[in-house]
Structures are given as C-alpha cells and as structure tokens.
Amino acid sequence: MRVSEVVRMVDIGHKPDVVRSARAVGYIRLRKETIERILRGEVEKGNVWSVAHLAAIMAVKKTPEIVPLCHPIPITGIDVNMEVEGNRIRVEVEVRSVGKTGVEMEALTGVSAALLAIWDMVKAYEKDVAGQYPYTAIEEIRVVSKIKEEINPRR
C-alpha cells in the first residue's frame, strides 16, 4: 500500500464557518534555583517570559507547517498566560478563529513551543555535572477546553 492511499487531508469545504476556540496547558518542571533566577530576571539569554510568549504566538501561526495534515486557518486571537506554580511554570494558550475546523492543534503547538523556549532559555542552569537534565521535564500538555459556536444560530 502506498502512503498516498493511506494519508489524506480531510475535506472541510462543506462545513460552515463557526466561531471556535481552544485552550491548552502544559508545564515545565525546573530547579528551584532556576525559577528564582527567572523571577529575578537573571537569565543570561534574556527575558524568559517574553521569548516564551513570542514562541507560542509564532508556533500557533505556523501550526500547519509543523503538523502535516493540519489545515491553515484564519487565527483571530491568541492569548498566552504563564505563571509559576511551585517548582513548575504553567503555560496556557488560548486560540480563537472563525472557520471550518477547530484550533486545538494550534493551542497545543503554542504551549509546546513556549515550553521548549523556556527550556532553551534556562538549559545552562538545569544541567547536572554530566551535562544531563535529571530534573527538568515538560509535562501534562493537554487541551482543557474547546468551544464551537454557530455564527448565526437559528432562533
């Protein structure tokens, strides 16, 4: 069987445009000292919050280039929120669109990119003496909500 017989992009042309949103969250577990360094603004590479925020936005917009069968859709809004929760940083991304397909992949991609950007920004502080990351982990990336609303619901 050839791959072209197995893989295809789903045709969504017949679906109506609807208002859609999705929120995804994920966490990065870091050493206490690293989180304190981030909070003090003492990361050599710069502002971790700004870089992670931009990484999320850029990733949302590039999702169809990263996820092979994901449709390019018009993004109408992106919100990125980050906060420290104990020994982890929580990243939440909400994506909004008006279109024929959902935005879950975009929200998940945004969260993933933000978490990877945080790791990249602080990796020098997370390595052990052998150059490994025994404590650092990206965890629990998931969709926490999905909304689909008709534009002009019938009354």
Side-chain angles (χ1 to χ4, degrees):
M1 186 175 287
R2 294 184 317 204
V3 171
S4 62
E5 295 172 346
V6 180
V7 178
R8 66 182 179 87
M9 190 166 215
V10 175
D11 185 349
I12 59 172
H14 64 283
K15 295 172 75 175
D17 284 345
V18 297
V19 175
R20 298 171 181 271
S21 69
R23 275 188 315 118
V25 298
Y27 300 83
I28 184 166
R29 183 169 31 93
L30 300 170
R31 295 172 191 242
K32 178 183 177 203
E33 298 80 16
T34 303
I35 289 178
E36 290 171 356
R37 183 181 289 269
I38 293 168
L39 292 172
R40 290 191 310 265
E42 296 176 354
V43 173
E44 183 180 4
K45 287 188 171 187
N47 187 317
V48 172
W49 307 115
S50 295
V51 171
H53 193 106
L54 286 173
I57 292 170
M58 292 173 64
V60 167
K61 297 186 325 182
K62 296 285 189 179
T63 299
E65 296 175 29
I66 299 167
V67 181
L69 300 177
C70 193
H71 291 84
I73 57 175
I75 302 297
T76 59
I78 304 168
D79 292 323
V80 180
N81 293 296
M82 292 173 277
E83 61 185 70
V84 174
E85 293 183 0
N87 63 342
R88 304 189 305 175
I89 295 175
R90 178 181 192 269
V91 175
E92 178 179 296
V93 175
E94 181 178 347
V95 180
R96 293 174 301 283
S97 178
V98 176
K100 300 177 183 306
T101 189
V103 289
E104 305 91 61
M105 293 299 103
E106 287 76 7
L108 290 165
T109 303
V111 167
S112 299
L115 294 168
L116 288 169
I118 292 168
W119 190 316
D120 179 60
M121 295 286 291
V122 301
K123 64 186 176 191
Y125 314 115
E126 288 292 301
K127 292 179 187 176
D128 66 10
V129 293
Q132 301 300 310
Y133 302 96
Y135 187 76
T136 316
I138 290 175
E139 305 171 325
E140 300 179 51
I141 298 173
R142 66 191 186 282
V143 173
V144 293
S145 73
K146 174 184 169 181
I147 298 171
K148 177 179 168 183
E149 300 173 358
E150 292 182 35
I151 294 174
N152 294 314
R154 295 180 184 160
R155 297 172 192 218

